[in-house]
């Protein structure tokens, strides 16, 4: 059996990196081979995005080196892309240093301008000059590929200013740029954030077939399961590699932790025996005794690598919730003349687990804002029960004061809280349970990573000890471990929960039923989880396609089947049939003349435009005449 040799396209040797006094990466050696698909996971704040930036060559390491193979092209999608002022979608997506990308960028610019001013002779000449250059560099395939990706991502207006787009649209534009530019290594930092399920599913299929190497950070566990073939975990500055997808990682990590625990238990037993011997005392400072003392010191310094990096939400209690929670009656909301929510009624019950899904811009966040009382419905009403204590984890309130200390931000919500066992927990103690040690609590929020800020915001939301929780895209920027703990917390949460999310795994774990937005602002109920809904939707699409196919086949059979009484030609049709062959010959001759004139017209672009327009009209007329000749021929056979 022939062994396939993999080519190493990037190597990282003894790399270390710190953020201030906090070490993020410690003596990491790592390599990426051609075609590998790697998922990077770890608790927020451990340095995942920093690691990607070092791999991409954006950040230098403090120590060590990163070697990239000759001619290796790297494309990087940042978690928070930066757009220059007044830059259009076209400028951003196609901007690049390679000759072929510059050419396609220029071609698309001229084409877009020509669509706006089709009579502009200067633009016509520019387009005419660019076409042979596109042929020379064989750029047509890249141009077609680029337009296909842009269309799939819902990007149609190339001339629109990027700064005028929504957050989700900006993310799509940045993703389009990363996918369009040819790369041997594609690096994506949270590509599934702020995009709807249809786009996530398309991206999943696209990356599964991607031929280059891939490294990505994502909290979407289904995505990891279906796209990557290797997981690397960043933990306490070290990197651990696991072969396989996310499911395989869970099994392998559980085994590693068991082995670590067994090793620690063995180390502790040896340490106890050695300490007991030492305490008995020795009569002389012999070489053997010194060796045993050195051995004890080594055992003490070895320590247990697996520190406690788990979040504890079990202590959080909630206030009592009465029978009446939330009642929405005939709620309608319009924005800018568009109906987002049409006549929606629902009664939220204690213990409800409701998911809200829909395309970006459909009105999901608007619905939560109305439930939270931040905006009012145009029609209908929303009533809240007297015992309701509502907390809202949203996407917009994350604008934390960067100068505020971490602990002061939490104290604004509560100085202390009462745990389920009746004990009192201070803000500092809750921060420690949420992986913010005392050394970080007095730091300004500005020094936290984006993911740590989201975790801090989640803690503050839960510190309010609500009995009704509204969660708007809670999975964005939270690490997998925090999401797992949040899912466990919601399992035990006695109150009601309403969740807006596109994360399939999270919704499958947390909801009992959902509402989905149709194209008319009506929320349709579905009893089941997100995966159940997607399966139903796919089944319906298959049935619809089959029905359309059958209708088409029936139409074709009906058209091909001979009629019981062959239709005879009318006198008018006989005259038309006698003349149509001459008409076809004239059109063919004129079409040939026009094609010859177009080839000889030279630099007269006004004449070229007129000739091209006439030739297109003659070509259409010729096709129609040929179709009519075929119809009349069948009638002539029935008449004879």
């Amino acid at each position: 059996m022939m062994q396939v040799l993999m080519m190493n396209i990037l190597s990282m040797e003894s790399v270390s990196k710190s953020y201030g006094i906090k070490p993020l990466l410690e003596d990491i050696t790592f390599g990426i081979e051609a075609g590998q698909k790697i998922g990077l996971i770890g608790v927020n704040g451990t340095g995942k995005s920093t690691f990607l930036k070092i791999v991409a060559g954006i950040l230098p390491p403090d120590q060590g080196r990163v070697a990239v193979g000759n001619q290796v092209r790297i494309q990087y999608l940042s978690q928070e892309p930066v757009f220059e002022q007044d830059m259009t979608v076209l400028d951003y997506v196609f901007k690049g240093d390679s000759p072929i990308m510059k050419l396609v960028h220029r071609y698309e610019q001229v084409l877009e301008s020509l669509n706006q001013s089709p009579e502009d002779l200067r633009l016509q000449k520019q387009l005419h000059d660019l076409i042979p250059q596109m042929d020379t560099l064989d750029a047509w395939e890249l141009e077609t590929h680029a337009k296909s990706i842009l269309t799939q991502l819902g990007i149609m207006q190339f001339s629109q200013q990027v700064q005028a787009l929504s957050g989700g649209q900006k993310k799509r534009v940045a993703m389009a740029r990363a996918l369009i530019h040819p790369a041997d290594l594609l690096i994506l930092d949270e590509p599934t954030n702020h995009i709807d399920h249809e786009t996530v599913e398309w991206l999943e299929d696209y990356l599964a077939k991607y031929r280059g190497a891939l490294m990505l950070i994502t909290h979407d566990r289904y995505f990891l399961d279906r796209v990557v073939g290797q997981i690397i975990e960043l933990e306490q500055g070290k990197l651990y590699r696991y072969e396989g997808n996310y499911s395989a990682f869970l099994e392998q990590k559980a085994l590693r932790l068991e082995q670590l625990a067994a090793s620690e238990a063995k180390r502790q037993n040896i340490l106890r025996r050695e300490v007991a011997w030492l305490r008995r005392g020795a009569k002389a400072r012999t070489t053997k005794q010194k060796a045993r003392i050195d051995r004890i010191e080594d055992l003490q310094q070895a320590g247990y690598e697996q520190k406690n990096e788990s979040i504890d939400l079990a202590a959080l209690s909630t206030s009592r919730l009465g029978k009446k929670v939330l009642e929405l009656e005939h709620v309608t909301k319009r924005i800018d003349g568009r109906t987002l929510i049409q006549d929606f009624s629902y009664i939220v019950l204690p213990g409800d687990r409701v998911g809200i899904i829909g395309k970006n811009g459909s009105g999901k966040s608007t619905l939560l804002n109305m439930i939270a009382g931040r905006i009012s419905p145009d029609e209908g009403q929303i009533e809240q029960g007297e015992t309701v204590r509502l907390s809202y984890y949203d996407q917009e309130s994350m604008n934390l004061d960067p100068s505020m200390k971490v602990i002061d931000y939490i104290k604004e919500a509560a100085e202390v809280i009462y745990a389920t066992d009746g004990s009192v927990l201070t803000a500092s103690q809750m921060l420690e349970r949420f992986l913010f040690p005392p050394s970080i609590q007095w730091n300004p929020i500005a020094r936290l990573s984006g993911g740590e800020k989201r975790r801090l915001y989640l803690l503050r939301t839960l510190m309010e000890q609500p009995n009704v929780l509204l969660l708007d895209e809670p999975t964005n920027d939270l690490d997998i471990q925090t999401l797992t703990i949040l899912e466990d917390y919601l399992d035990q949460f006695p109150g009601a929960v309403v969740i807006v999310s596109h994360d399939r795994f999270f919704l499958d774990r947390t909801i009992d039923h959902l509402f989905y937005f149709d194209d008319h602002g009506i929320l349709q109920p579905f009893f089941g989880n997100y995966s159940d809904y997607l399966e139903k939707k796919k089944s319906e699409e298959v049935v619809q396609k089959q029905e359309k196919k059958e209708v088409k086949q029936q139409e074709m059979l009906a058209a091909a089947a001979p009629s019981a009484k062959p239709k005879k030609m009318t006198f008018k049709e006989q005259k038309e049939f006698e003349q149509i062959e001459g008409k076809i010959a004239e059109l063919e001759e004129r079409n040939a003349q026009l094609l010859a004139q177009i080839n000889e017209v030279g630099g007269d672009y006004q004449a070229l435009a007129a000739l091209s327009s006439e030739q297109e009209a003659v070509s259409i007329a010729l096709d129609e005449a040929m179709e009519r000749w075929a119809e009349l021929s069948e009638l002539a056979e029935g008449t004879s």
Side-chain angles (χ1 to χ4, degrees):
M1 184 176 179
M2 186 176 70
Q3 186 176 7
V4 179
L5 297 176
M6 300 292 286
M7 183 181 71
N8 195 275
I9 61 174
L10 183 142
S11 297
M12 178 181 286
E13 297 178 10
S14 303
V15 165
S16 296
K17 185 74 177 179
S18 297
Y19 180 67
I21 61 172
K22 180 181 179 181
L24 294 178
L25 311 175
E26 297 179 11
D27 195 29
I28 288 178
T29 296
F30 173 74
I32 301 174
E33 296 176 344
Q36 274 191 320
K37 292 183 171 66
I38 303 169
L40 174 61
I41 64 175
V43 175
N44 284 339
T46 55
K48 298 191 300 295
S49 293
T50 299
F51 182 80
L52 287 194
K53 289 175 182 177
I54 291 174
V55 173
I58 295 169
L59 277 180
D62 295 339
Q63 297 175 5
R65 61 187 290 269
V66 178
V68 182
N70 292 332
Q71 309 301 318
V72 169
R73 300 163 299 181
I74 297 176
Q75 282 299 321
Y76 169 70
L77 172 65
S78 170
Q79 191 174 151
E80 297 179 357
V82 177
F83 302 93
E84 296 175 18
Q85 195 70 26
D86 300 327
M87 179 173 274
T88 67
V89 169
L90 187 69
D91 293 334
Y92 183 83
V93 167
F94 289 102
K95 186 179 180 181
D97 296 328
S98 66
I100 190 170
M101 193 56 68
K102 287 181 178 178
L103 176 60
V104 174
H105 184 195
R106 181 60 185 152
Y107 174 80
E108 289 293 338
Q109 281 181 319
V110 173
L111 200 60
E112 180 75 13
S113 299
L114 201 53
N115 286 335
Q116 303 296 324
S117 307
E119 304 300 324
D120 191 318
L121 298 180
R122 181 181 57 85
L123 292 173
Q124 291 176 14
K125 183 179 185 308
Q126 288 178 9
L127 187 65
H128 186 270
D129 292 341
L130 286 169
I131 288 172
Q133 296 179 47
M134 293 281 287
D135 291 333
T136 301
L137 289 184
D138 195 20
W140 296 111
E141 184 177 352
L142 175 61
E143 191 255 354
T144 302
H145 177 64
K147 285 188 174 179
S148 173
I149 288 176
L150 289 166
T151 302
Q152 289 287 352
L153 293 174
I155 302 167
M156 307 296 183
Q157 301 298 324
F158 292 177
S159 60
Q160 192 170 5
Q161 296 284 322
V162 178
Q163 296 292 358
L165 301 177
S166 67
Q169 290 170 324
K170 287 179 180 177
K171 185 79 173 185
R172 290 166 184 259
V173 170
M175 189 183 302
R177 175 176 173 173
L179 298 181
I180 284 168
H181 287 245
D184 302 290
L185 173 59
L186 180 61
I187 301 174
L188 306 175
D189 194 348
E190 293 287 5
T192 58
N193 277 2
H194 309 293
I195 58 175
D196 54 36
H197 165 72
E198 286 78 8
T199 308
V200 170
E201 198 168 52
W202 172 82
L203 182 63
E204 193 176 89
D205 292 337
Y206 181 88
L207 294 179
K209 300 170 186 174
Y210 186 72
R211 293 182 180 180
L214 170 70
M215 178 178 282
L216 60 87
I217 297 171
T218 181
H219 58 263
D220 191 322
R221 286 152 282 183
Y222 284 155
F223 194 91
L224 284 172
D225 242 9
R226 294 165 186 170
V227 173
V228 307
Q230 184 178 107
I231 297 286
I232 57 175
E233 183 181 25
L234 193 57
E235 186 178 90
Q236 299 174 35
K238 304 296 182 184
L239 206 63
Y240 300 92
R241 299 183 73 146
Y242 305 86
E243 292 300 323
N245 60 10
Y246 182 72
S247 297
F249 152 75
L250 291 176
E251 295 174 2
Q252 293 174 57
K253 180 168 184 183
L255 180 61
R256 182 174 77 84
L257 294 181
E258 286 175 10
Q259 292 171 342
L260 276 175
S263 297
E264 172 65 6
K266 184 177 179 180
R267 187 185 73 86
Q268 291 288 353
N269 286 333
I270 295 172
L271 189 60
R272 277 192 291 270
R273 288 197 301 270
E274 296 294 299
V275 169
W277 173 86
L278 192 61
R279 284 175 178 169
R280 285 199 300 269
K283 295 180 178 179
R285 292 289 177 182
T286 64
T287 302
K288 185 176 181 181
Q289 182 192 17
K290 288 179 181 177
R292 297 197 73 162
I293 291 172
D294 291 342
R295 184 183 175 193
I296 292 170
E297 290 176 349
D298 289 342
L299 284 168
Q300 288 174 328
Q301 291 173 6
Y304 185 27
E305 290 184 15
Q306 189 64 23
K307 296 178 183 177
N308 181 22
E309 280 204 351
S310 62
I311 298 169
D312 184 6
L313 290 176
L316 292 172
S317 63
T318 59
S319 55
R320 187 188 67 83
L321 184 62
K323 291 183 179 180
K324 183 175 180 179
V325 183
L326 296 165
E327 295 183 4
L328 291 83
E329 298 180 8
H330 304 291
V331 170
T332 295
K333 186 65 181 179
R334 304 177 188 88
I335 294 180
D336 296 330
R338 177 179 163 227
T339 301
L340 291 180
I341 299 164
Q342 178 67 46
D343 194 27
F344 178 55
S345 297
Y346 182 68
I347 298 175
V348 178
L349 301 173
D352 241 352
R353 298 289 185 275
V354 185
I356 309 291
I357 60 174
K359 296 178 181 178
N360 286 345
S362 59
K364 304 185 296 295
S365 296
T366 300
L367 177 61
L368 289 193
N369 283 329
M370 286 195 294
I371 294 174
R374 296 183 180 179
I375 60 175
S376 301
D378 296 333
E379 298 173 19
Q381 60 182 358
I382 300 174
E383 293 185 2
Q384 190 176 108
E386 292 182 2
T387 60
V388 167
R389 186 168 182 172
L390 187 147
S391 288
Y392 184 11
Y393 179 92
D394 67 2
Q395 299 184 71
E396 299 174 0
S397 297
M398 252 287 290
N399 297 322
L400 312 181
D401 181 355
S403 63
M404 179 178 281
K405 290 182 174 60
V406 170
I407 194 166
D408 291 337
Y409 175 72
I410 293 301
K411 283 182 175 180
E412 276 190 345
E415 293 269 355
V416 297
I417 64 168
Y418 292 94
T420 51
D421 61 1
S423 61
V424 177
L425 292 168
T426 66
S428 179
Q429 288 172 322
M430 282 307 302
L431 279 166
E432 284 196 67
R433 289 168 182 256
F434 246 59
L435 306 186
F436 294 104
S439 60
I440 292 178
Q441 293 176 14
W442 295 96
N443 287 344
I445 291 174
R447 294 180 62 179
L448 300 180
S449 70
E452 286 176 314
K453 290 174 184 175
R454 294 295 292 185
R455 194 187 328 134
L456 183 68
Y457 175 45
L458 175 63
L459 172 60
R460 173 164 171 155
T461 303
L462 300 181
M463 284 278 287
E464 296 169 358
Q465 296 186 277
N467 51 29
V468 176
L469 259 177
L470 305 183
L471 303 176
D472 190 1
E473 296 290 1
T475 65
N476 285 350
D477 302 318
L478 287 179
D479 58 78
I480 291 175
Q481 184 173 333
T482 304
L483 288 176
T484 302
I485 301 301
L486 177 59
E487 289 160 1
D488 290 339
Y489 169 79
L490 293 178
D491 283 343
Q492 307 299 322
F493 183 68
V497 183
V498 182
I499 303 171
V500 166
S501 180
H502 65 270
D503 189 308
R504 297 159 294 179
F505 193 102
F506 186 79
L507 284 179
D508 282 354
R509 278 280 282 110
T510 55
I511 69 163
D512 300 321
H513 60 104
L514 55 82
F515 288 92
Y516 62 94
F517 279 81
D518 67 11
D519 295 332
H520 307 289
I522 297 175
L523 281 94
Q524 303 285 359
F526 179 83
F527 294 93
N529 62 25
Y530 200 1
S531 290
D532 294 336
Y533 164 76
L534 293 175
E535 285 297 321
K536 178 177 178 290
K537 186 179 177 183
K538 286 179 180 177
S539 298
E540 290 174 349
E541 288 173 354
V542 169
V543 170
Q544 289 172 0
K545 287 180 181 178
Q546 184 62 31
E547 289 176 349
K548 288 180 180 178
K549 183 179 178 182
E550 290 173 357
V551 170
K552 188 69 176 175
Q553 288 175 341
Q554 290 172 1
E555 290 175 351
M556 292 172 66
L557 288 171
S563 57
K565 292 183 178 180
K567 185 180 176 184
K568 293 184 178 182
M569 295 178 76
T570 63
F571 177 77
K572 184 179 179 181
E573 287 170 337
Q574 285 177 341
K575 286 292 184 183
E576 184 184 0
F577 186 52
E578 291 169 2
Q579 298 170 359
I580 196 166
E581 289 188 4
K583 181 181 179 181
I584 289 172
E586 290 175 4
L587 288 168
E588 287 177 335
E589 183 179 356
R590 181 56 182 158
N591 192 53
Q593 290 172 352
L594 289 168
L595 289 172
Q597 290 174 18
I598 287 171
N599 290 331
E600 297 171 359
V601 73
D604 188 348
Y605 296 102
Q606 191 167 6
L608 177 63
L611 288 169
S612 298
S613 178
E614 184 183 354
Q615 189 273 329
E616 184 178 354
V618 169
S619 179
I620 293 171
L622 180 58
D623 289 340
E624 292 174 349
M626 291 295 291
E627 288 180 10
R628 183 57 177 159
W629 174 85
E631 294 172 1
L632 292 171
S633 295
E634 289 182 9
L635 290 174
E637 289 177 7
T639 303
S640 59

